Amino acid sequence: MTAELPRTVLDRLRSVSWYGDWEVSTAHTRSRALLMREYMRRAALWAQACGARAEWPFFDVTEFVDPTLSLDPDVEAELEEFLTRTVPTPSTARTCRGAVRWAALVAKRDDPAGLPDPYEPLLLMYERGGGYSIEEFIDLYGVMIPYGNFESNLQAEPFLTLEPSTLDALDQDAEGRITYYAKVDDGYSRNSPLGIVRRRVVGREGLEYDEAFTRNLRWEPTQYLRRYELGENEVDHVEISEREAATFIESVTNRLAGTI
């Protein structure tokens, strides 16, 4: 069995600052929370498919998909040494082992079970500020998110836009309570809007900051919502989710890059 893919994942894990870079993790709280929620959703899909509900959420999927799977001996030895010396919690170690073994499974047979890669969201989350700890909530070192339950995670809205540029855009100046809106008009629907804007409400004083995602591929100040509230703007808007905003950001980025 080729060791190339598993070693690539192991190298990604080695690059993570496991004991926390507070500045990095707090700069990426929005994307890290979305990525963890997407991992929880995918883990629930796999747990349901494999009859492993009792093991959800932090488990090695490959133990159920292919119990006979084995790693290249050198990679396995390096992985276990890395986990022993570096990874801070047993829960995190299980997912790291699972991610490396998943890469070996993919190298062995493409598209196992037709479900999405369970570990890529978690790998991206690790790379954007370290691991997590489990208490009453899931602590991502900068933000805490609730577990939810198995069913709620199974039915959660997918978050499929995992490009670093999209994640960076979601994290840009993402302080406060954020609401996203899609600008809709003739020929521009919620799913294909004219543009998107966000309103951030910051601090106890409730200071409001309105920003549009522009062709510069960043959030920049806008008067659109103010003008709309004053009746000076005829272009309508609807509230959308953060995941829908991410889809628009990624489509704009790809279009301007000429990839679509």
Side-chain angles (χ1 to χ4, degrees), residues 134-210:
I134 301 172
E135 299 175 11
E136 184 177 352
F137 293 85
I138 303 174
D139 187 351
L140 303 180
Y141 311 137
V143 64
M144 292 187 178
I145 65 171
Y147 273 95
N149 55 41
F150 186 85
E151 286 75 17
S152 66
N153 280 280
L154 193 64
Q155 300 301 323
E157 181 184 359
F159 179 61
L160 305 178
T161 46
L162 304 183
E163 288 295 325
S165 58
T166 303
L167 301 175
D168 289 344
L170 292 174
D171 288 328
Q172 183 206 325
D173 301 325
E175 179 186 4
R177 301 188 307 277
I178 300 178
T179 306
Y180 295 90
Y181 301 94
K183 295 165 70 174
V184 295
D185 202 353
D186 292 342
Y188 295 96
S189 66
R190 175 185 188 135
N191 294 327
S192 183
L194 182 62
I196 61 171
V197 297
R198 70 181 185 183
R199 170 165 285 175
R200 298 188 293 116
V201 181
V202 180
R204 293 181 179 178
E205 299 83 3
L207 299 176
E208 293 182 345
Y209 299 88
D210 295 343

Side-chain angles (χ1 to χ4, degrees), residues 96-254:
C96 289
R97 185 180 291 108
V100 175
R101 286 170 52 81
W102 174 263
L105 182 63
V106 170
K108 180 180 177 182
R109 51 175 180 164
D110 292 336
D111 193 26
L115 293 175
D117 181 333
Y119 294 109
E120 184 60 23
L122 203 57
L123 288 169
L124 288 168
M125 194 212 76
Y126 290 151
E127 291 170 332
R128 298 177 74 81
Y132 61 89
S133 61
I134 301 172
E135 299 175 11
E136 184 177 352
F137 293 85
I138 303 174
D139 187 351
L140 303 180
Y141 311 137
V143 64
M144 292 187 178
I145 65 171
Y147 273 95
N149 55 41
F150 186 85
E151 286 75 17
S152 66
N153 280 280
L154 193 64
Q155 300 301 323
E157 181 184 359
F159 179 61
L160 305 178
T161 46
L162 304 183
E163 288 295 325
S165 58
T166 303
L167 301 175
D168 289 344
L170 292 174
D171 288 328
Q172 183 206 325
D173 301 325
E175 179 186 4
R177 301 188 307 277
I178 300 178
T179 306
Y180 295 90
Y181 301 94
K183 295 165 70 174
V184 295
D185 202 353
D186 292 342
Y188 295 96
S189 66
R190 175 185 188 135
N191 294 327
S192 183
L194 182 62
I196 61 171
V197 297
R198 70 181 185 183
R199 170 165 285 175
R200 298 188 293 116
V201 181
V202 180
R204 293 181 179 178
E205 299 83 3
L207 299 176
E208 293 182 345
Y209 299 88
D210 295 343
E211 296 146 341
F213 191 76
T214 72
R215 292 178 61 87
N216 295 324
L217 303 181
R218 59 180 293 106
W219 295 100
E220 297 180 337
T222 181
Q223 292 298 313
Y224 164 79
L225 290 172
R226 302 289 185 195
R227 292 178 60 194
Y228 185 88
E229 290 164 355
L230 293 172
E232 298 175 358
N233 196 327
E234 295 183 358
V235 177
D236 207 347
H237 59 272
V238 293
E239 184 175 338
I240 59 174
S241 70
E242 194 165 29
R243 292 165 175 81
E244 290 174 294
T247 298
F248 176 84
I249 290 167
E250 192 153 295
S251 68
V252 168
T253 302
N254 290 338

Side-chain angles (χ1 to χ4, degrees), residues 60-70 101 105 108-109:
D60 180 353
V61 170
T62 66
E63 292 181 351
F64 298 89
V65 177
D66 187 351
T68 66
L69 180 75
S70 61
R101 286 170 52 81
L105 182 63
K108 180 180 177 182
R109 51 175 180 164

